[in-house]
Amino acid sequence: MTRFTETLERLAATIEARKGADPSSSYTAKLLSEGVERAAKKFGEEAVEAVIAAAQGDQDGLAAESADLIYHWLVLLTRAGVSLDNVAAKLEAREGTSGLAEKASRPSA
């Protein structure tokens, strides 16, 4: 397992353990208690901050904002009841498929 994978799995387990905890005792518990809409909003804010850091060529900032983004993504997944295994299954289903072909196969909005 890679360092990133191990770190991601530890963080996901920590977030899962915070479900149902006292919101005054943990920022994660607070986010989880505020609903999926709040978790989604925080994820979006972090995504924008990562985009800005990337556009500015700020490598350290991008790394830091990416860490925030991944944390908030995991909180959002946990709050929405979507596991990393669910995400992995979607990625695995796309393996070997051209990104252009995969996008073309999606229903149009």
Side-chain angles (χ1 to χ4, degrees):
M1 223 182 291
T2 68
R3 180 178 177 190
F4 180 80
T5 303
E6 291 172 354
T7 302
L8 188 66
E9 288 182 356
R10 280 194 314 272
L11 180 56
T14 298
I15 292 167
E16 183 68 29
R18 299 289 193 272
K19 284 178 18 181
D22 179 1
S24 68
S25 69
S26 159
Y27 177 68
T28 300
K30 183 176 186 294
L31 280 177
L32 291 169
S33 75
E34 292 176 341
V36 73
E37 296 83 7
R38 175 73 171 141
K41 181 177 183 240
K42 289 299 297 178
F43 175 73
E45 290 170 3
E46 297 302 337
V48 169
E49 291 172 8
V51 167
I52 290 168
Q56 292 175 340
D58 180 358
Q59 291 181 334
D60 189 56
L62 178 56
E65 294 302 339
S66 294
D68 291 347
L69 180 65
I70 290 167
Y71 163 78
H72 284 90
W73 172 64
L74 291 172
V75 169
L76 176 59
L77 289 178
T78 299
R79 186 61 179 94
V82 176
S83 72
L84 285 176
D85 285 341
N86 297 139
V87 176
K90 295 295 184 183
L91 289 170
E92 289 167 355
R94 295 176 185 179
E95 281 184 282
T97 302
S98 157
L100 295 174
E102 191 280 326
K103 188 171 181 178
S105 73
R106 294 180 194 172
S108 57

